[in-house]
Amino acid sequence: MRAEISFGKSLIGILFVGLAATGCTTTSKQAATSAKTKQGQAAKVTFNYTTKDRDCLQRAMYFESQHSDEDGYMAVGTVVMNRLTSGAYPPSICGVVAQEKQFAPGVMTREVKPQAETELATAADAILKGARHPAVKDAMFFHTDGLKFPYNNMHYVAVAGGNAFYEKRGSDGMLQTPPPLPAYEVAMNYVPGESMLPPQFEALIPSAVPIPLPAPDPMATASTMSAINTAPTARMAPIANPMPMQITAPVTLPEPSIEPDPGMPIAIPIPRPAYDSVMLRGSIAANGG
């Protein structure tokens, strides 16, 4: 009887230890998964964009894809985002699109047809939320489909919207440009109504500053009033032998001096940094991207 009781206690102890171990293992796995999730979220690189940047993105997609379709829009939009996240091009969408001799002439000024705006807006929003054209991959260059160039580093990956997209790779297969970030490592943050210019370009002088005017000169005021009081009027009686009238010369008031308040900061213009040092694009077709 005692042996049976002892065996029963041993069996209960083994079951209790097993359940405890299982609970610890499950908790550890959940903690590890949660840590990995937080780590993955923290690893994202955030880029700010404004309404103007969204418009620039739509313009690039529209004019470079020859007003084609969503497939062409997404392909060009992917190239814009690849350039933005590569670190080798300007750090804003409008900076990438407006860069000289990179995208279609007039891309920033030509008219977008109203009938294309709905599809363009849908494609642009998808790009900003992390969608990419699956075939474009790491491509940051393209030209009109059907053209041929005698370069060995043009590794073609896709054709969409009338364009052929390619990566620049060496004979070893390695990219010759800084690789763009994968979409899952990029977070786009909308900044309404704010400028994307660096801080040194912010205006330091307020838009409305009261201009201090100097107080009138007491001597000039007295001289003026004296001339007014001694001047003849129409109601004065005629004088038998009038003396010649003396004309008083006009009094010239001093020019008002406009000076800023002593505590007002003065803006010193700083030239915009040149991006020529980071332009990695070689000689390709003028109508390419």
Side-chain angles (χ1 to χ4, degrees):
M1 183 68 179
R2 290 180 179 177
E4 292 177 356
I5 294 174
S6 177
F7 175 76
K9 290 181 178 180
S10 300
L11 181 61
I12 292 173
I14 292 172
L15 291 174
F16 177 77
V17 171
L19 291 173
T22 303
C24 291
T25 304
T26 304
T27 303
S28 300
K29 287 182 179 179
Q30 291 175 349
T33 303
S34 177
K36 288 181 179 179
T37 302
K38 290 182 179 179
Q39 184 178 4
Q41 293 175 350
K44 287 193 174 184
V45 179
T46 301
F47 292 85
N48 291 335
Y49 75 96
T50 63
T51 302
K52 180 63 177 176
D53 287 302
R54 183 174 177 272
D55 178 66
C56 289
L57 177 61
Q58 291 184 192
R59 286 180 161 277
M61 294 190 300
Y62 180 72
F63 291 111
E64 287 290 8
S65 66
Q66 302 176 21
H67 323 164
S68 58
D69 52 19
E70 185 179 0
D71 188 55
Y73 296 159
M74 295 297 292
V76 175
T78 300
V79 167
V80 173
M81 299 305 294
N82 284 350
R83 290 192 174 199
L84 175 67
T85 63
S86 72
Y89 293 87
S92 69
I93 294 176
C94 281
V96 169
V97 175
Q99 192 173 13
E100 188 177 1
K101 297 180 181 179
Q102 297 298 299
F103 287 88
V107 66
M108 301 293 289
T109 57
R110 293 161 59 190
E111 179 187 2
V112 177
K113 298 300 181 183
Q115 56 266 29
E117 289 181 355
T118 301
E119 193 171 23
L120 267 176
T122 301
D125 290 341
I127 288 288
L128 293 171
K129 290 178 182 178
R132 299 290 185 269
H133 193 289
V136 172
K137 301 179 182 178
D138 293 338
M140 286 184 274
F141 311 97
F142 59 88
H143 60 73
T144 303
D145 185 31
L147 301 179
K148 301 294 182 181
F149 298 92
Y151 305 112
N152 297 326
N153 63 344
M154 300 170 71
H155 179 73
Y156 291 93
V157 294
V159 174
N163 293 312
F165 296 81
Y166 65 94
E167 303 166 342
K168 285 187 177 181
R169 294 184 178 273
S171 56
D172 56 356
M174 300 296 293
L175 282 173
Q176 296 178 332
T177 56
L181 295 176
Y184 59 81
E185 292 185 9
V186 176
M188 298 302 296
N189 178 50
Y190 175 62
V191 183
E194 292 193 12
S195 172
M196 300 301 294
L197 292 176
Q200 63 263 33
F201 290 94
E202 297 293 339
L204 299 180
I205 300 179
S207 57
V209 178
I211 300 176
L213 296 177
D217 188 355
M219 297 299 295
T221 304
S223 176
T224 304
M225 294 302 297
S226 176
I228 294 174
N229 292 333
T230 57
T233 62
R235 296 184 180 181
M236 293 178 62
I239 302 175
N241 297 317
M243 297 294 293
M245 183 182 298
Q246 295 182 354
I247 301 176
T248 305
V251 178
T252 304
L253 296 176
E255 292 289 337
S257 175
I258 302 174
E259 296 181 357
D261 292 336
M264 185 190 307
I266 303 300
I268 301 176
I270 300 176
R272 175 170 177 161
Y275 290 109
D276 294 342
S277 59
V278 295
M279 290 176 59
L280 302 179
R281 177 170 176 171
S283 300
I284 64 173
N287 59 353

